[in-house]
Amino acid sequence: MRSALFSAENLEKESAQPGMRLQNSKMLKIELNGECMARVGAMVAYQGQVQFQALGSGGIGKFLKQKLTGEGVPLMKMTGRGDVFLADLASDVHLIDLEPGDALSINGSSVLAFDSTLQYDIRMVQGMGMLSAAGLFNCVFTGQGRIAVTTKGTPVVLNVDQPTFVDPQAAVCWSANLQTGYHRAEQMGLGTLLGRRTGEAFTMSFAGQGFVVVQPSEEPPVQGSGQQQSSGGLGGLLGG
């Protein structure tokens, strides 16, 4: 049988080392040898002896916080030996390696998977003086390990070495040590240009030393944004 479909770029990527790697720009491959955490419903295929366990938001404390804040990551734990492929509505997938002392603040809807060696908590975003569809809370990851995040399109990574302003619906993640705040767009002469899809007339500010990742798309405001899940195939059933 012949087809361009069977070209080398579409074949499964092999490696001698376990862990996360990109199968392609839209799909994550985890060569599992132990356990790993992933968003419920993100599994699109797997091979080998792998068990899936739905964890809600990762413990009773985080579950209660998610109910109160609408933020969080609906998780499943994957254990065993095999290859697991994850995706989220054909979003772009990016890998970030955290070292001891690092802290990453991330929108829960952008978390695809992470090593079980990482810790995360749901924390209030500093400087949030008004309620918005972007939410008051974010997930903050610390420890040592790898995390896979998704973006709607190719993002830009802004180096925050001067006052930086971002539409809150386009901010994916940022250095947790940055100082954040919110400013009304009218005060900056932007009128209704920002947040035209959300009706929000303010922008998010960042100050300090670090980075912020901005995607070329605005997440629509959904009640309980942390509850958003990928759907499709057996992956959706695993979260049931």
Side-chain angles (χ1 to χ4, degrees):
M1 189 176 298
R2 298 179 180 178
S3 172
L5 175 64
F6 304 122
S7 62
E9 64 181 16
N10 292 335
L11 297 181
E12 179 182 353
K13 302 294 189 298
E14 301 289 353
S15 174
Q17 297 296 324
M20 297 184 198
R21 57 191 43 82
L22 294 181
Q23 170 63 27
N24 54 53
S25 65
K26 309 288 186 181
M27 189 177 296
L28 177 72
K29 179 184 179 182
I30 302 178
E31 296 189 16
L32 190 64
N33 184 15
E35 69 176 40
C36 189
M37 313 295 285
R39 171 175 291 278
V40 165
M43 190 277 293
V44 295
Y46 76 94
Q47 296 176 306
Q49 302 299 317
V50 181
Q51 292 79 45
F52 301 86
Q53 178 186 3
L55 298 178
S57 293
I60 186 64
K62 296 184 180 67
F63 175 78
L64 292 175
K65 283 186 178 181
Q66 181 179 11
K67 292 301 181 184
L68 290 172
T69 66
E71 189 55 82
V73 186
L75 294 175
M76 61 182 178
K77 180 169 68 172
M78 306 178 296
T79 57
R81 291 177 60 91
D83 298 331
V84 183
F85 297 87
L86 306 176
D88 182 18
L89 301 175
S91 298
D92 291 335
V93 182
H94 311 272
L95 298 177
I96 301 175
D97 291 311
L98 269 64
E99 302 292 341
D102 291 342
L104 180 69
S105 182
I106 180 172
N107 187 322
S109 64
S110 297
V111 176
L112 182 63
F114 57 93
D115 289 336
S116 58
T117 55
L118 292 175
Q119 298 82 46
Y120 95 95
D121 195 10
I122 301 172
R123 300 180 189 173
M124 179 178 290
V125 178
Q126 295 179 352
M128 188 66 167
M130 61 193 74
L131 193 63
S132 82
L136 285 165
F137 298 83
N138 247 22
C139 299
V140 177
F141 285 83
T142 56
Q144 184 172 11
R146 177 168 286 186
I147 181 170
V149 302
T150 58
T151 63
K152 303 299 190 295
T154 304
V156 59
V157 180
L158 300 177
N159 181 28
V160 181
D161 54 3
Q162 58 184 322
T164 302
F165 302 89
V166 177
D167 186 312
Q169 300 298 332
V172 174
C173 60
W174 57 87
S175 305
N177 62 293
L178 290 175
Q179 293 80 52
T180 58
Y182 280 76
H183 301 270
R184 291 190 178 278
E186 290 85 348
Q187 296 174 349
M188 306 176 69
L190 296 179
T192 59
L193 291 178
L194 289 177
R196 57 190 180 281
R197 292 178 56 192
T198 67
E200 295 170 334
F202 56 88
T203 185
M204 190 173 182
S205 65
F206 297 88
Q209 294 293 323
F211 67 89
V212 55
V213 178
V214 183
Q215 65 184 1
S217 175
E218 295 175 317
E219 289 285 357
V222 178
Q223 184 67 30
S225 60
Q227 302 280 351
Q228 294 179 9
Q229 300 180 12
S230 307
S231 61
L234 181 61
L237 296 176
L238 290 172

